[in-house]
Amino acid sequence: MTEFVWRWRVTLMASIVGVVAAIMRFSSLGYPQALVFDEVFYARGAYSLMTLGYEGDWGGDNQDFANGDVSQLSTDADYVVHPNVGKLMISWGMEMFGPSAYGWRFMSAVVGVLTVLMIAFIARHLLRSTLWGAVAGLFLAVEGEHIVLSRTALLDIFLTFFVVAAMGLLVVDHHVTRRTLVRQSVAERERLGLGEGSLIPGRGPSLGIRWWRLAAIATFGLSISVKWNGLYFAAAFLVLSVIWDWYERRMLGWENWFGAGLVRAIPAFLATIVIMPLVYLASWIPWFRSDNSWGRHWAEDNPGEGLTWLPDSLNSLVHYHSQMWEFHRGLDSPHNYESNPWGWPLQIRPTAFYFEDVTDVDCGAERCVSAIHSIGHPLIWWVGAAVLLYALWRIVRHRDMLALTVTTGYLAAWLPWLPFAHRTIFTFYTVTMAPFLVLMVVWAMKRLAQPDRLRGAWWKPGVVICLVYVAAVLIVAGFFTPLWTGEPVPFRYWQLHMWLPSWV
């Protein structure tokens, strides 16, 4: 009976969260029938990869492609500055539905829904509660940054998907590892006749090949194959997995817990420096297979230059990457919607993806507009900024491992950008922060509604506060949905959403 109830709750959680996420992401997905913001690069690049096998140069007007005219694609190579995996995934949607707005956005919506479901299950495991897992999934399902990027053919949603998937694999690895450590710790205590509170001599058991962690490493390789900043997440979470090992061995009473965790980290490090580069290199197979891709024969055309000890194809790829690096390092052209990363936690300067006057739809007003703004859900982001400070205090003051776990992804998505505040960067990059923001907020909600002092029991004032907050989140999500989906609205209604002067 208990198992039936457990399965029923989990199924209900996944169903509700998945349906809400799908509605928010697939409803009117093909609108507007236009290249929104940087779709001009990635949707067209994806179509080129699908048809030519490499990214060719485009001529003509952007709207020609949006209208289904792909005749402007030339066989001349285009210089692009991001790896292929995200664009290849965008192309899968066009393989199924053609070069239409729905087609090039389809896979973004799919991975967006999958990311919501993964966060629900990750939160459920970390917080040991199906209810709180449902709240986390629901919050990400209605979070603005994640909705907008799930409805747009940009790369960042695919980066987010792989990072969350890799974290989920590490969480599974931690769960499996901990069960083994607990079992072997009990057996060793019994063998040595030790009391429950006494230290166990030695480093503890060797855990063999940790397949879940290897899968996470490969998945981090895929995230880097979408955008290079997947490296930040790989470094942060793989270090976190070592900290988990130290923590578990120490809590279970192994005397040499630090040395044990360090020794076990060496194979993981060696696997990382082998698997991740191989996965990344494999993502460039389309580039290797095509004679016409950008810079493919640079080494042959420039004998004696570059890393001559490498095969010509790899030497050419290394040179291409040096060009990409220089592009990113020097990207400081002024842009209307560039933002300072110090303001990201409060969504100070969100990105306007699309804004057009609409004349063929009656919205009940004299002026109708269709606008898409990647504004993060204000109530989630603003509360999350306060929760971050609380979580950091918990980490420093109480060495709270769960607080460290729920903040790692948020900090890995944010802190590396702070030294580059002078560059042309955008708030929509925070879509990678959104899943971990939700984990932080729901972690804090649980601590409020079920404080430690009550040992899992509910504190009624905290429950009321959480219920009011959930209701407010859903109401505000409904209010902002037209600005996340581009639904035509009266211009005055659009103005009501500009809560900060910097949002205009």
Side-chain angles (χ1 to χ4, degrees):
M1 181 65 180
T2 302
E3 184 178 354
F4 172 78
V5 172
W6 178 83
R7 290 181 178 178
W8 177 81
R9 288 177 177 175
V10 173
T11 302
L12 182 63
M13 176 195 78
S15 300
I16 293 174
V17 166
V19 168
V20 174
I23 291 172
M24 297 298 288
R25 283 150 184 80
F26 280 98
S27 179
S28 302
L29 182 62
Y31 184 86
Q33 184 67 34
L35 290 167
V36 172
F37 203 61
D38 280 354
E39 284 186 338
V40 65
F41 303 115
Y42 305 124
R44 298 197 303 179
Y47 180 83
S48 179
L49 281 170
M50 180 179 73
T51 54
L52 298 179
Y54 63 94
E55 293 188 62
D57 196 18
W58 287 85
D61 185 81
N62 295 341
Q63 193 58 38
D64 292 338
F65 178 83
N67 292 334
D69 182 359
V70 296
S71 61
Q72 289 82 22
L73 175 60
S74 74
T75 56
D76 295 332
D78 188 19
Y79 171 57
V80 296
V81 293
H82 289 296
N84 295 319
V85 166
K87 288 167 280 188
L88 287 170
M89 293 180 73
I90 292 171
S91 74
W92 297 347
M94 286 189 281
E95 288 273 13
M96 291 183 279
F97 301 105
S100 62
Y102 187 88
W104 67 67
R105 295 171 189 152
F106 176 77
M107 285 306 300
S108 296
V110 169
V111 301
V113 172
L114 291 177
T115 303
V116 170
L117 289 169
M118 287 191 294
I119 281 296
F121 279 97
I122 290 171
R124 177 185 175 276
H125 176 82
L126 293 178
L127 302 178
R128 300 182 180 184
S129 166
T130 302
L131 174 62
W132 292 115
V135 174
L138 185 63
F139 276 13
L140 189 59
V142 300
E143 199 291 303
E145 289 284 358
H146 200 265
I147 290 171
V148 171
L149 272 296
S150 297
R151 298 174 57 89
T152 318
L154 270 64
L155 301 182
D156 300 79
I157 195 66
F158 299 99
L159 169 64
T160 306
F161 167 74
F162 285 120
V163 167
V164 171
M167 182 203 181
L169 290 167
L170 287 178
V171 168
V172 174
D173 170 75
H174 179 217
H175 176 69
V176 172
T177 299
R178 187 180 187 283
R179 283 195 308 180
T180 303
L181 287 173
V182 169
R183 185 172 60 250
Q184 302 221 11
S185 298
V186 171
E188 189 68 5
R189 285 183 187 280
E190 291 178 353
R191 188 182 72 83
L192 297 175
L194 298 174
E196 188 174 337
S198 56
L199 293 176
I200 308 173
R203 295 176 177 173
S206 175
L207 300 169
I209 299 176
R210 294 169 62 169
W211 295 107
W212 291 105
R213 183 149 72 176
L214 292 178
I217 292 169
T219 306
F220 278 125
L222 288 171
S223 75
I224 298 164
S225 303
V226 176
K227 293 185 81 170
W228 288 350
N229 49 315
L231 272 169
Y232 301 137
F233 295 97
F237 278 113
L238 291 173
V239 168
L240 178 64
S241 73
V242 176
I243 295 174
W244 284 342
D245 281 1
W246 280 332
Y247 178 80
E248 296 299 346
R249 290 176 187 272
R250 184 173 182 271
M251 295 300 292
L252 291 170
W254 291 97
E255 188 174 29
N256 193 3
W257 56 270
F258 184 83
L262 194 61
V263 168
R264 302 301 185 272
I266 294 173
F269 173 76
L270 295 175
T272 299
I273 62 175
V274 172
I275 293 174
M276 281 175 39
L278 287 177
V279 171
Y280 182 79
L281 195 62
S283 74
W284 286 89
I285 287 176
W287 184 87
F288 285 111
R289 293 177 62 183
S290 174
D291 285 333
N292 296 326
S293 50
W294 179 274
R296 176 65 180 81
H297 295 289
W298 176 86
E300 294 98 310
D301 297 337
N302 297 271
E305 297 187 33
L307 302 179
T308 55
W309 50 274
L310 285 175
D312 285 346
S313 58
L314 287 177
N315 190 10
S316 297
L317 185 63
V318 170
H319 176 73
Y320 185 9
H321 276 63
S322 70
Q323 292 178 301
M324 295 163 66
W325 172 252
E326 287 301 318
F327 170 85
H328 289 297
R329 198 165 63 92
L331 187 61
D332 57 2
S333 303
H335 192 286
N336 285 341
Y337 292 102
E338 64 183 279
S339 64
N340 189 311
W342 286 102
W344 287 359
L346 298 177
Q347 297 287 293
I348 296 298
R349 181 59 172 165
T351 315
F353 275 26
Y354 182 81
F355 189 95
E356 294 290 338
D357 282 281
V358 178
T359 58
D360 57 348
V361 174
D362 182 10
C363 68
E366 184 177 343
R367 184 184 180 188
C368 303
V369 298
S370 173
I372 300 175
H373 293 267
S374 65
I375 300 173
H377 193 301
L379 295 190
I380 299 177
W381 281 90
W382 295 347
V383 168
V387 169
L388 175 64
L389 298 177
Y390 172 64
L392 293 175
W393 176 79
R394 289 283 310 176
I395 294 168
V396 174
R397 180 68 178 83
H398 297 282
R399 299 181 183 179
D400 189 325
M401 185 57 60
L402 187 53
L404 177 63
T405 298
V406 298
T407 56
T408 294
Y410 184 100
L411 295 174
W414 178 43
L415 294 183
W417 288 103
L418 296 181
F420 302 102
H422 62 282
R423 274 186 37 185
T424 309
I425 50 182
F426 301 95
T427 301
F428 74 82
Y429 296 175
T430 61
V431 67
T432 57
M433 296 168 65
F436 310 109
L437 163 74
V438 162
L439 285 180
M440 281 198 318
V441 169
V442 177
W443 163 79
M445 290 173 65
K446 183 184 179 184
R447 291 193 61 82
L448 179 63
Q450 296 176 284
D452 290 344
R453 67 179 186 275
L454 297 183
R455 301 183 181 276
W458 296 91
W459 183 52
K460 289 184 179 180
V463 171
V464 171
I465 293 171
C466 288
L467 287 174
V468 171
Y469 178 63
V470 170
V473 165
L474 295 178
I475 292 169
V476 171
F479 178 66
F480 271 89
T481 292
L483 267 68
W484 294 333
T485 63
E487 178 185 344
V489 294
F491 178 68
R492 176 57 182 159
Y493 186 79
W494 172 83
Q495 288 179 311
L496 292 175
H497 293 75
M498 300 297 104
W499 289 3
L500 300 177
S502 57
W503 288 8
V504 179

